[in-house]
Amino acid sequence: MTAKGQITLVHLYPREMSIYGDLGNTRCLAARIRRHGYDCVVHDHHPGMPWPEQAHLLMGGGGQDSGQSRVQDDLEVNADRLRGLAADGVPMVMICGMYQMFGHAFITHDGVELPGLGILDVTTRGQSTRMIGGIVLDTDFGQVVGFENHSGATVLGAGQAPFGRVVVGHGNNGTDGTEGARTHNVIGSYLHGPILPANPAVADALIAAAAELATGRPFEPEPLDDSLAEQARTRQIARLRKPS
Ligand code: GLN
């Protein structure tokens, strides 16, 4: 089957920002893009590297405070480019530490302020206790399940939509019932897991936007067998929602 087009997937800082298995999101996206009949080029972007000629889909994972500090300068170098890509509708999924860096700032528990890109209208402050555990959300993509581990408590700006509403778990800050943030095709979330393999509806929404940008044509999905992913998702949700 000739490819329906070629999608370039950019993984931001896989060495510094990919704890808790978030590399799995990149592998999931690449595999699903190819199973849908598109070619996929995966570009690992490391600090100081030139930006690729094409970028149709971006993934960024979680990291320790120290990892976030190590990528801060490169984020600043690429800030206008990333803001422009987001404004142009390029789909992005930013997890935990990278979610925080896509907001206005992440102020660590020690008081170190890491300025963010402001692509998402959120601000994060590190807490003395960490928010850790399984998490279930109600989202526009149905119920989504994952795992969270963060000190950062994130507050949404007045007009900022969340990614989802917490059913089980802490979410952005453990108090307002929101999780993550979503603006157009940019999703920020605290969900590790990695989030995408067990939540294929989210993965395919990102891929659909990327395919339309890459080809100039509507997304042409293949009927994929997601029975295993669906079992992984529903069983995790059932386990987390069971009264303890
Ligand atoms: N260092 C950030 C925090 O602790 C992000 C953690 C992460 O990416 N899991 O909140």
Side-chain angles (χ1 to χ4, degrees):
M1 175 172 70
T2 54
K4 299 171 185 175
Q6 178 172 283
I7 294 172
T8 299
L9 166 57
V10 180
H11 184 162
L12 293 177
Y13 317 122
R15 287 194 292 245
E16 295 83 4
M17 299 296 290
S18 194
I19 55 176
Y20 308 118
D22 294 330
L23 172 63
N25 290 324
T26 299
R27 290 178 175 164
C28 172
L29 287 167
R32 292 188 73 85
I33 287 169
R34 291 169 181 140
R35 290 168 65 198
H36 281 303
Y38 296 80
D39 286 338
C40 182
V41 173
V42 179
H43 177 89
D44 287 339
H45 178 74
H46 302 295
M49 276 183 67
W51 192 256
E53 286 184 20
Q54 299 284 347
H56 304 114
L57 177 51
L58 275 63
M59 202 300 287
Q64 296 171 330
D65 296 8
S66 56
Q68 291 170 277
S69 298
R70 287 202 298 275
V71 305
Q72 182 190 343
D73 290 345
D74 188 76
L75 268 179
E76 182 54 38
V77 165
N78 288 290
D80 288 343
R81 174 186 284 111
L82 290 167
R83 294 180 187 121
L85 290 171
D88 290 346
V90 172
M92 305 179 182
V93 55
M94 296 295 148
I95 302 299
C96 204
M98 282 306 296
Y99 163 37
Q100 296 170 344
M101 304 294 277
F102 266 54
H104 298 299
F106 170 47
I107 300 95
T108 69
H109 181 53
D110 299 332
V112 176
E113 177 161 342
L114 302 176
L117 298 172
I119 291 173
L120 295 168
D121 182 11
V122 303
T123 303
T124 301
R125 292 182 181 280
Q127 308 297 301
S128 56
T129 57
R130 299 191 67 81
M131 289 171 259
I132 299 175
I135 180 167
V136 179
L137 308 177
D138 282 330
T139 78
D140 290 343
F141 309 97
Q143 285 210 327
V144 168
V145 66
F147 179 85
E148 61 183 327
N149 182 335
H150 53 103
S151 76
T154 296
V155 176
L156 302 181
Q160 178 61 63
F163 170 53
R165 296 280 172 187
V166 176
V167 176
V168 175
H170 303 278
N172 276 324
N173 48 54
T175 57
D176 68 5
T178 69
E179 197 291 321
R182 184 175 167 216
T183 297
H184 196 16
N185 288 330
V186 177
I187 292 174
S189 174
Y190 276 114
L191 272 67
H192 299 289
I195 181 177
L196 296 181
N199 300 284
V202 183
D204 279 359
L206 294 161
I207 293 168
E212 292 184 15
L213 281 171
T215 65
R217 298 187 305 275
F219 179 43
E220 301 167 71
E222 293 295 323
L224 305 184
D225 174 6
D226 282 329
S227 53
L228 281 180
E230 192 54 19
Q231 277 189 56
R233 190 179 70 89
T234 53
R235 289 185 181 192
Q236 287 182 78
I237 290 172
R239 178 170 51 81
L240 289 168
R241 296 196 67 173
K242 190 186 299 179
S244 47

